């Protein structure tokens, strides 16, 4: 049977299959295979009935080719047509067709820059994929992320290579909220108090190890070691000694290589499901998952002397509750490692990069630290944090310029529900949405001098500094006092931790950790960028692999004398 003979039969079946795929998006391999193979098989059985088996095989191959060609054509034509629900949204034509190209492009780590370029060209709402929009209008933040907002998007299904994801990717809102409760208990203020001694001990070890580095080091690397060790202390009651022993098991290479693969699979979730079945292809991802699972499993086997995060995740704080399933706890171990250690250590690296390239800000923060932590006052004392307005402003400003999750967390309008309407914008069912902090934070409509590191903006708007006493950022040479008095500062557009019931539960811990470490380091050392290193490279080499991957930060280190 030739292609021409089978095509009249396969064409209508392909059109029906397209509609089924479109309305009932599924990640079940069995359903995919049935929809892809059963119709051509039926056509072949029909046209080659009462003929030898070889005729059936020829008919099947031809039916499959014509069926797939019709299916692909139908999908592409529909996505490019004015019938597609997102047809009215502007965006590059190639991105309307398929996510395969965008997924391949994520490997470069420039996804955030690509999104920024698209917004420059097409405006505030851009169609960045066949069914995907990126929105940089801050009035959408609360309705889409806040209470009553949208559920999570499907990207973590790809990253997890399974529809069963850890907390961060749970799509079903009631189930997400149920799984979220122990995290909230384990990361609330009273629980943080119990982590403070662990934090103080680790920060002291970081100081000691940096002091051993004979005057020069990659500060980013040591902050990564610190971040991982502290996260293991805090979450699993110990288990990592990178600061003492170095990264002999390459855990950071595992995390960073895993995140590259994860970003590709976030963009094409169905591919994750398939590649998950070919371990050799997704080895970095599997190693990353195994690392997190092992950390959690070892913790469960040995128990913990401290009330660590797993004390809460295992419901050990509730006498009337049994622990959740081991698989669930192990999956949340992966999330703990990635969400908890990478983000905070990266932000501390960014803080030091900003301070070291802005000596006047460095000097102001040093003065504040010396005021609150004179000789004799331990750097681990947290009671001063709330009065350290400049420290808070510096951290906020680093988070504004370099949000660790540059595109933010994905959301999706449920397939089964009604369209979501925000103002005059209609988001049809099935639409995936990004609200990228990287772009919102650098938009002059949200923040004056958007590309400048200028902690003073946070002091002015919180009433700590009068407009008339503020100096414009050093990089904004032509700025006037007028520009400062008409300061634009829209905190509704500041979303490094996301917002709403599915936001980051680790915000309080991250702030505590960052403050303690910055104080400990600046109280003990003077840092300078290593001579000959070009700081311009730092920003260029920041990569978006869902979380930001950072370049090295080489510094010279000198011990300060005023310290006890
Ligand atoms: C500077 C540090 C950090 C930043 C900027 C950050 C940012 C984020 C963002 C943007 C999300 C996505 C939220 C959403 O979907 O709306 C998230 C989720 C999450 N983060 Fe963080 N994070 C940081 C540190 C931490 C720490 C220290 C922990 C502690 C373990 C943590 C635990 C989590 C968890 C468990 C989730 C999943 C929340 C959920 O889906 O309900 N994060 N984080």
């Amino acid at each position: 049977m030739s292609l021409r003979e089978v095509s009249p039969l396969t064409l209508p079946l392909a059109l029906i299959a397209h509609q089924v795929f479109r309305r009932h998006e599924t990640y079940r391999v069995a359903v995919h295979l049935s929809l892809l193979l059963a119709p051509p098989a039926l056509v072949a059985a029909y046209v080659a009935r009462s003929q030898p088996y070889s005729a059936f095989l020829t008919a099947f191959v031809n039916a499959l080719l014509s069926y797939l060609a019709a299916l692909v054509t139908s999908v592409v034509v529909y996505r490019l047509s004015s019938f597609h629900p997102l047809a009215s949204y502007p965006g590059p034509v190639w991105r309307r067709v398929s996510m395969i190209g965008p997924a391949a492009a994520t490997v470069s780590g420039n996804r955030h820059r690509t999104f920024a370029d698209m917004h420059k060209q097409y405006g505030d709402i851009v169609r960045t994929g066949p069914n995907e929009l990126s929105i940089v209008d801050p009035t959408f933040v609360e309705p889409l992320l806040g209470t009553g907002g949208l559920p999570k998007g499907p990207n973590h299904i790809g990253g997890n290579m399974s529809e069963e994801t850890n907390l961060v990717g749970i799509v079903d809102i009631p189930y997400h909220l149920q799984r979220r409760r122990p995290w909230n208990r384990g990361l609330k203020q009273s629980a943080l108090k119990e982590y403070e001694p662990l934090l103080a001990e680790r920060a002291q070890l970081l100081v000691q190890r940096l002091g051993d580095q004979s005057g020069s080091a990659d500060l980013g690397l040591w902050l990564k070691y610190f971040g991982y060790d502290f996260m293991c202390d805090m979450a699993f009651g110990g288990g990592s000694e990178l600061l003492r022993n170095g990264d002999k098991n390459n855990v950071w290479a595992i995390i960073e290589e895993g995140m590259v693969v994860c970003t590709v699979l976030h963009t094409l979730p169905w591919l994750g499901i398939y590649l998950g079945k070919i371990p050799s292809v997704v080895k970095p991802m599997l190693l990353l998952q195994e690392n997190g699972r092992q950390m959690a499993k070892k913790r469960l086997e040995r128990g913990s002397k401290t009330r660590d995060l797993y004390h809460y995740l295992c419901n050990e704080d509730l006498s009337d509750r049994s622990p959740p399933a081991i698989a669930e706890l192990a999956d949340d171990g992966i999330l703990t490692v990635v969400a908890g250690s990478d983000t905070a250590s990266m932000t501390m690296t960014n803080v030091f990069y900003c301070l070291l390239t802005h000596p006047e800000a460095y000097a102001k923060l040093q003065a504040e630290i010396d005021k609150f932590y004179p000789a004799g006052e331990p750097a681990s004392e947290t009671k001063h944090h709330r009065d350290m307005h400049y420290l808070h402003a510096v951290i906020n400003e680093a988070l504004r310029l370099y949000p660790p999750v540059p595109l933010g967390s994905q959301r999706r309008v449920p397939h089964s529900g009604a369209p979501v309407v925000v103002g005059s914008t209609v988001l049809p069912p099935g639409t995936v949405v990004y609200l990228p902090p990287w772009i919102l934070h650098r938009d002059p409509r949200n923040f004056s001098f958007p590309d400048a590191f200028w902690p003073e903006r946070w002091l002015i708007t919180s009433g700590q500094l009068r407009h008339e006493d503020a100096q414009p950022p050093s990089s904004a040479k032509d700025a006037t006092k007028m520009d400062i008095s008409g300061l634009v500062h829209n905190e509704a557009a500041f979303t490094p931790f996301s917002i709403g019931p599915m936001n980051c539960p680790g915000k309080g811990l991250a702030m505590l950790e960052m403050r303690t470490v910055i104080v400990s380091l600046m109280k003990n050392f003077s840092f300078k960028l290593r001579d000959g290193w070009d700081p311009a490279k730092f920003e260029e080499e920041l990569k978006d692999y869902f979380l930001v991957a950072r370049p090295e930060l080489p510094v010279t280190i000198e011990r300060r004398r005023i310290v006890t």
Side-chain angles (χ1 to χ4, degrees):
M1 297 295 145
S2 69
L3 273 174
R4 195 182 292 174
E5 282 166 292
V6 292
S7 293
L9 295 172
T10 53
L11 183 67
L13 292 176
L15 296 179
I16 294 169
H18 175 199
Q19 292 313 308
V20 176
F21 272 127
R22 200 169 70 73
R23 280 161 210 248
H24 309 282
E25 191 176 335
T26 170
Y27 298 100
R28 305 260 150 81
V29 176
V31 179
H32 289 178
L33 291 181
S34 315
L35 276 171
L36 290 176
L37 299 179
L42 284 175
V43 169
Y46 176 71
V47 295
R49 64 190 177 283
S50 62
Q51 291 187 36
Y53 183 62
S54 58
F56 169 79
L57 277 185
T58 312
F60 176 69
V61 170
N62 284 334
L64 183 64
L65 288 175
S66 91
Y67 176 78
L68 292 180
L71 187 59
V72 170
T73 309
S74 169
V75 169
V76 171
V77 168
Y78 174 68
R79 288 177 173 181
L80 289 171
S81 76
S82 57
F83 298 110
H84 192 283
L86 298 185
S88 60
Y89 292 100
V93 171
W94 66 282
R95 280 190 167 255
R96 294 171 173 232
V97 173
S98 162
M99 288 310 283
I100 294 175
T106 60
V107 175
S108 74
N110 286 319
R111 203 167 53 142
H112 53 318
R113 297 187 182 98
T114 310
F115 270 56
D117 290 343
M118 286 192 286
H119 279 290
K120 247 182 224 145
Q121 187 174 351
Y122 296 103
D124 283 353
I125 307 184
V126 179
R127 188 171 167 196
T128 48
N131 301 310
E132 181 183 287
L133 295 178
S134 171
I135 302 177
V136 294
D137 175 343
T139 61
F140 282 73
V141 170
E142 179 61 42
L144 299 187
L145 299 180
T147 308
L150 297 177
K152 302 267 186 167
N155 57 343
H156 293 286
I157 294 175
N160 242 41
M161 299 177 293
S162 158
E163 283 192 89
E164 304 289 314
T165 88
N166 51 39
L167 176 75
V168 75
I170 296 175
V171 173
D172 179 68
I173 292 184
Y175 181 50
H176 179 275
L177 295 180
Q178 178 201 321
R179 284 276 296 269
R180 169 77 181 233
R181 277 184 209 118
W183 283 89
N184 288 345
R185 298 200 305 276
L187 291 166
K188 66 176 190 278
Q189 276 309 319
S190 54
L192 298 192
K193 273 275 153 223
E194 305 199 29
Y195 309 144
E196 278 182 19
L198 301 172
L199 178 57
E201 220 175 286
R202 276 291 164 194
Q204 214 176 340
L205 182 59
L206 173 65
V207 167
Q208 187 195 319
R209 297 296 288 122
L210 275 176
D212 297 341
Q213 298 310 305
S214 45
S216 102
D218 172 4
L219 187 54
L221 182 75
W222 285 95
L223 289 169
K224 286 202 270 191
Y225 287 178
F226 166 84
Y228 190 80
D229 283 354
F230 170 60
M231 193 45 54
C232 291
D233 294 342
M234 181 290 273
F236 310 116
S240 172
E241 290 298 344
L242 303 187
L243 282 172
R244 283 199 172 86
N245 306 329
D247 192 358
K248 290 186 181 141
N249 296 324
N250 291 324
V251 284
W252 272 102
I254 289 172
I255 294 175
E256 286 167 353
E257 285 166 24
M259 291 314 290
V260 176
V261 179
C262 186
T263 312
V264 176
L265 302 183
H266 272 190
T267 316
L268 273 184
W270 60 264
L271 184 65
I273 303 279
Y274 282 85
L275 293 187
K277 302 189 185 316
I278 319 173
S280 56
V281 180
V282 280
K283 201 166 159 210
M285 197 58 217
L286 293 174
L287 286 173
L288 172 64
Q289 293 189 337
E290 195 46 31
N291 175 54
R293 287 202 182 107
Q294 282 306 325
M295 294 304 296
K297 281 188 180 150
K298 282 184 196 151
R299 154 63 178 87
L300 298 180
E301 279 158 21
R302 76 171 176 257
S304 172
K305 292 189 202 95
T306 59
R307 284 171 184 249
D308 55 10
L309 178 65
Y310 265 71
H311 171 79
Y312 300 92
L313 297 190
C314 296
N315 291 332
E316 287 167 7
D317 58 323
L318 302 176
S319 52
D320 58 342
R321 290 270 179 88
S322 46
I326 300 275
E328 203 174 282
L329 292 167
D331 275 353
D332 279 350
I334 306 163
L335 176 61
T336 312
V337 168
V338 175
S341 56
D342 207 2
T343 47
S345 69
M346 177 192 308
T347 304
M348 291 188 278
T349 307
N350 295 336
V351 164
F352 277 100
Y353 166 74
C354 292
L355 290 172
L356 289 166
T357 47
H358 295 83
E360 69 295 347
Y362 191 119
K364 281 184 200 165
L365 181 56
Q366 188 71 68
E368 186 175 82
I369 290 173
D370 290 348
K371 178 176 145 204
F372 284 99
Y373 295 89
E377 183 69 345
S380 55
E381 180 53 79
T382 57
K383 71 177 180 219
H384 304 301
H385 288 179
R386 68 189 163 87
D387 298 320
M388 298 185 72
H389 304 296
Y390 201 72
L391 174 60
H392 187 64
V394 162
I395 295 174
N396 267 357
E397 191 61 348
L399 284 167
R400 186 186 69 79
L401 280 173
Y402 306 108
V405 191
L407 287 198
S409 184
Q410 199 189 57
R411 297 289 192 267
R412 181 166 64 182
V413 183
H415 274 288
S416 53
V420 168
V421 181
V422 181
S424 58
T425 303
V426 178
L427 305 174
T431 306
V432 163
V433 186
Y434 279 106
L435 295 148
W438 178 276
I439 305 169
L440 284 162
H441 293 182
R442 289 170 178 246
D443 188 330
R445 294 170 299 176
N446 299 328
F447 296 99
S448 301
F449 317 118
D451 296 322
F453 175 72
W454 191 45
E456 278 69 11
R457 72 178 80 240
W458 300 94
L459 299 179
I460 297 170
T461 49
S462 63
Q464 304 298 328
L465 177 67
R466 295 186 320 165
H467 283 109
E468 47 276 31
D469 297 334
Q471 294 299 319
S474 51
S475 58
K477 295 196 177 57
D478 302 330
T480 62
K481 289 275 174 194
M482 281 295 286
D483 293 323
I484 297 180
S485 60
L487 187 72
V488 179
H489 188 87
N490 181 4
E491 288 196 27
F494 181 61
T495 55
F497 294 97
S498 187
I499 66 152
M502 289 176 277
N503 74 343
C504 175
K507 179 179 174 184
L509 175 67
M511 294 305 280
L512 172 71
E513 180 183 346
M514 294 191 288
R515 286 171 173 142
T516 304
V517 170
I518 294 166
V519 167
S520 300
L521 294 184
M522 289 184 65
K523 180 169 158 60
N524 283 281
F525 301 112
S526 294
F527 295 98
K528 284 205 181 78
L529 288 174
R530 196 168 66 204
D531 284 345
W533 182 73
D534 177 9
K537 275 203 295 198
F538 188 86
E539 190 152 339
E540 276 166 33
E541 288 176 14
L542 279 177
K543 301 288 183 196
D544 170 12
Y545 294 121
F546 177 55
L547 301 176
V548 169
R550 73 216 95 158
E552 61 164 356
L553 185 62
V555 295
T556 56
I557 307 167
E558 205 177 300
R559 209 172 259 284
R560 296 180 74 223
R561 289 220 188 90
I562 57 156
V563 193
T564 55

